[in-house]
């Protein structure tokens, strides 16, 4: 069993990343496509392309849901992570199963389901603490630093949630400052994190063919949107990127820059794979999962940052035989 895991773990982890990008593109982006068309009176139930997108997204979400449990179990049982980290992973696994069973008992389509605030806080703090512990066990110091920097926007997104929960729990507006400051800074942190990652990839001598490909694909769209050369492109990017990536605090000038940085960061992560699989796969898993601030009730989205760090950790692990 262990030998099979060692041999195929790379393909297993890559499959999770692929499904995360399918879910990102064909589920959440499908939702944003529904609203304008629905207002225009177009019935999407008779539109085959949109139905296909929806089913691809729904299937991908289901696969992510299943694979997250497997990755948590593999990491807690097979890996060489510290005992404290494994203890946190077991706790998160048990809590996730419990919360999902409660959700199922109330109906999986029950969008009003919310965990109690204390449970949400404990769950989030466990996820954050475990993510940092996994990162700290990376082999190289600069790997630890870049993965932490990649995680900063997600940490900020969690702070948006924590600020809201503390405000609701205490009935005091004093905690609202956490929510406001985190929300206002989120878009800036995404930009900064992306630029730093691109610089890190170039510093690691990623092949220029990946960087040039990213520029060729991203720069024309950036120019068209920035100067509004094709009416509607800037608006489409302005609506789509903040929604799909789950960002708060987006200014009008940001979406074209987000697009260029996102494309460059994506190709940089792909190019980095042969040189540093841990950082490459962690980055790709984070990019595919995007952010989580608007998915409070869904454990699947809440786990994405932790799963990303575990994917990077597992790829370098010497699994026990």
């Amino acid at each position: 069993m262990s030998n099979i895991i060692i041999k195929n773990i790379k393909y297993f982890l890559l499959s999770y990343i692929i499904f995360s990008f399918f879910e990102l593109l064909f589920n959440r982006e499908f939702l944003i496509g529904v609203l304008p068309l629905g207002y225009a009176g177009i019935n999407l139930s008779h539109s085959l392309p949109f139905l296909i997108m929806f089913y691809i997204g729904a299937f991908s979400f289901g696969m992510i849901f299943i694979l997250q449990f497997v990755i948590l179990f593999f990491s807690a049982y097979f890996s060489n992570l510290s005992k404290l980290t494994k203890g946190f992973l077991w706790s998160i696994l048990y809590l996730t199963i419990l919360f999902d069973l409660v959700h199922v008992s109330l109906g999986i389509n029950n969008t009003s389901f919310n965990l109690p605030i204390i449970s949400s806080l404990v769950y989030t703090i466990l996820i954050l603490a475990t993510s940092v512990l996994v990162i700290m066990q990376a082999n190289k110091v600069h790997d630890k630093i870049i993965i932490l920097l990649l995680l900063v926007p997600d940490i900020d997104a969690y702070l948006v949630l924590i600020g809201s929960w503390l405000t609701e729990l205490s009935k005091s507006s004093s905690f609202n400052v956490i929510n406001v400051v985190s929300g206002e800074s989120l878009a800036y942190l995404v930009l900064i994190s992306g630029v730093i990652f691109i610089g890190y990839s170039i510093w690691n001598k990623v092949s220029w063919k990946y960087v040039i490909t990213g520029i060729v694909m991203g720069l024309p769209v950036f120019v068209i949107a920035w100067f509004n050369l094709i009416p509607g492109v800037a608006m489409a990017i302005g609506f789509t990127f903040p929604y799909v990536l789950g960002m708060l605090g987006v200014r009008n000038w940001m979406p074209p820059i987000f697009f260029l940085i996102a494309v460059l960061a994506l190709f940089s992560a792909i190019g980095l794979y042969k040189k540093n699989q841990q950082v490459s796969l962690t980055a790709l898993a984070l990019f595919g999962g995007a952010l989580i601030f608007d998915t409070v009730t869904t454990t699947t989205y809440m786990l994405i940052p932790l799963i990303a760090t575990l994917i990077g950790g597992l790829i370098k692990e010497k699994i026990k035989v």
Side-chain angles (χ1 to χ4, degrees):
M1 176 64 178
S2 295
N3 287 327
I4 295 175
I5 293 172
I6 294 169
K7 186 177 181 180
N8 297 293
I9 188 72
K10 176 172 65 175
Y11 304 105
F12 171 76
L13 299 176
L14 285 172
S15 70
Y16 173 88
I17 293 172
I18 291 169
F19 282 122
S20 70
F21 275 98
F22 279 146
E23 196 277 335
L24 176 69
L25 294 172
F26 297 122
N27 196 344
R28 280 171 277 183
E29 192 167 6
F30 170 81
L31 293 176
I32 196 173
V34 169
L35 296 177
L37 293 173
Y39 282 124
I42 299 173
N43 189 344
L44 293 178
S45 64
H46 299 297
S47 175
L48 183 60
F50 278 98
L51 283 175
I52 292 172
M53 288 170 64
F54 175 78
Y55 285 122
I56 292 174
F59 176 77
S60 299
F61 179 85
M63 291 304 299
I64 291 171
F65 175 80
I66 295 169
L67 291 175
Q68 282 185 343
F69 285 105
V70 180
I71 291 171
L72 282 171
F73 175 76
F74 276 4
S75 301
Y77 187 78
F78 287 108
S79 75
N80 289 325
L81 293 170
S82 69
K83 290 183 178 180
L84 177 61
T85 308
K86 287 186 174 184
F88 281 176
L89 287 173
W90 284 118
S91 299
I92 292 169
L93 181 57
Y94 293 145
L95 286 174
T96 303
I97 293 171
L98 174 62
F99 295 157
D100 287 339
L101 286 175
V102 172
H103 197 173
V104 169
S105 69
L106 296 174
I108 57 174
N109 293 321
N110 184 349
T111 56
S112 64
F113 170 73
N114 282 283
L115 291 172
I117 295 174
I118 298 296
S119 299
S120 298
L121 281 170
V122 170
Y123 190 60
T124 302
I125 291 170
L126 273 173
I127 289 172
L128 275 171
T130 310
S131 299
V132 173
L133 284 173
V134 173
I135 292 170
M136 288 297 101
Q137 292 173 68
N139 291 331
K140 301 175 182 177
V141 174
H142 53 76
D143 289 350
K144 297 176 185 178
I145 294 172
I146 193 63
I147 296 173
L148 277 172
L149 288 173
L150 282 172
L151 201 65
V152 164
D154 289 279
I155 293 172
D156 187 73
Y158 281 122
L159 289 175
V160 174
L161 296 177
I162 290 171
S164 299
W165 292 331
L166 290 176
T167 301
E168 187 177 348
L169 189 65
S170 66
K171 307 299 182 184
S172 170
S173 60
S174 58
F175 287 105
N176 196 47
V177 67
I178 300 173
N179 186 13
V180 173
V181 172
S182 300
E184 288 295 314
S185 60
L186 184 55
Y188 291 101
L189 291 174
V190 172
L191 287 173
I192 293 169
S193 178
V195 169
I196 291 174
F197 178 74
I198 294 167
Y200 170 86
S201 300
I202 294 173
W203 177 69
N204 273 270
K205 299 180 180 179
V206 166
S207 173
W208 279 100
K209 68 181 180 182
Y210 294 100
V211 179
I212 292 171
T213 301
I215 293 173
V216 169
M217 293 185 65
L219 189 58
V221 178
F222 166 81
V223 172
I224 290 170
W226 187 265
F227 294 102
N228 200 26
L229 299 179
I230 300 177
V233 172
M235 182 176 290
I237 292 176
F239 275 114
T240 303
F241 259 70
Y243 184 91
V244 172
L245 298 182
M247 287 183 290
L248 294 171
V250 177
R251 273 59 178 181
N252 290 335
W253 54 269
M254 289 181 173
I257 300 176
F258 278 127
F259 184 86
L260 178 60
I261 290 177
V263 173
L264 277 170
L266 176 62
F267 278 95
S268 296
I270 294 171
L272 194 62
Y273 180 77
K274 289 184 179 180
K275 294 180 176 293
N276 192 323
Q277 291 186 357
Q278 181 176 11
V279 174
S280 172
L281 292 189
T282 301
L284 288 171
L286 285 172
F287 297 160
L291 301 169
I292 47 78
F293 84 91
D294 60 349
T295 52
V296 182
T297 63
T298 308
T299 56
T300 305
Y301 290 145
M302 294 287 286
L303 283 170
I304 282 174
L306 171 60
I307 298 299
T309 64
L310 289 173
I311 284 175
L314 281 174
I315 201 68
K316 74 172 184 63
E317 283 286 349
K318 297 176 181 178
I319 306 297
K320 293 187 302 183
V321 179

